[in-house]
Amino acid sequence: MAKIKRQVFYSFHFDNDVMRVQQIRNIGALEDNKPVSTNDWEEIKKKGDDAVKKWINDNMDYRSCVVVLVGEETAKRRWVKYEIEKAWNDGKGLVGIYIHNLKDPKTGTCAKGANPFDEFTFTDGPSKGLKLSSKVKCHNPKSTDAYNDIKDNIEDWIEEAINLRS
């Protein structure tokens, strides 16, 4: 049985990790998801917070899952936090993948960043006091072959995240 090509939204720290993220986009297992260019992103940011939120909201629409690609500083990024919160509140699949062991052609690998889902704590209901990381997986691919580990597993990780929210 053929797997469904899922439409996903990638959340990541643009400045630090765009080259690592591009490797994942090029895997081809997922629906064609064109990255915003550096110039376009700068233009969106110049228009202010409302423009950035609108761009995120518009680009997250009709996506079944948000994949947070975690580099060294991802967990600290304001817009990544917004994207995680929006994905969770909208009932979308949500999954993290550490990308610190993918090589950027200019800078090589980087240090492993913090789990961005640790930044969120449930404030009510049966999960009150638990961190979002207790509900959302953040996969750490093999350090010896991170690219192929991601390539071989990303579809399953996304399906699992979607099924957990269904």
Side-chain angles (χ1 to χ4, degrees):
M1 183 171 166
K3 288 188 179 182
I4 299 169
K5 280 198 173 197
R6 293 291 188 175
Q7 293 187 342
V8 301
F9 180 92
Y10 290 107
S11 177
F12 59 96
H13 180 194
F14 190 89
D15 292 340
N16 281 12
D17 297 319
V18 70
M19 296 304 290
R20 290 179 187 89
V21 170
Q22 194 57 37
Q23 293 174 55
I24 293 169
R25 289 179 193 264
N26 289 338
I27 287 172
L30 305 169
E31 151 280 331
D32 191 27
N33 181 317
K34 299 288 186 226
V36 66
S37 74
T38 303
N39 291 341
D40 290 344
W41 182 240
E42 291 305 319
E43 285 302 312
I44 293 164
K45 287 191 330 187
K46 281 182 192 173
K47 294 177 183 173
D49 289 355
D50 288 341
V52 173
K53 284 181 183 176
K54 180 179 178 355
W55 182 90
I56 291 168
N57 295 345
D58 289 349
N59 281 277
M60 253 196 212
D61 271 356
Y62 310 109
R63 305 291 183 201
S64 51
C65 189
V66 172
V67 179
V68 182
L69 299 171
V70 184
E72 189 169 355
E73 297 180 22
T74 306
K76 301 174 190 172
R77 306 307 297 173
R78 172 182 176 203
W79 294 115
V80 170
K81 290 178 183 181
Y82 175 80
E83 292 159 351
I84 290 170
E85 186 171 3
K86 178 170 177 39
W88 185 260
N89 290 339
D90 288 354
K92 296 185 183 299
L94 186 59
V95 64
I97 302 171
Y98 287 103
I99 60 170
H100 62 289
N101 284 318
L102 291 175
K103 289 184 178 152
D104 179 304
K106 294 178 185 169
T107 61
T109 59
C110 66
K112 182 180 177 186
N115 184 329
F117 308 119
D118 283 341
E119 299 287 315
F120 298 88
T121 303
F122 291 98
T123 56
D124 57 12
S127 298
K128 184 176 182 173
L130 293 177
K131 299 223 176 273
L132 184 57
S133 58
S134 70
K135 307 275 184 195
V136 178
K137 289 187 180 178
C138 198
H139 299 275
N140 190 11
K142 296 174 196 156
S143 62
T144 55
D145 194 4
Y147 176 83
N148 281 316
D149 196 12
I150 294 168
K151 181 172 97 40
D152 293 343
N153 292 293
I154 191 168
E155 288 178 272
D156 292 334
W157 295 337
I158 289 168
E159 283 304 313
E160 179 183 39
I162 292 167
N163 289 334
L164 285 172
R165 293 311 306 274
S166 297

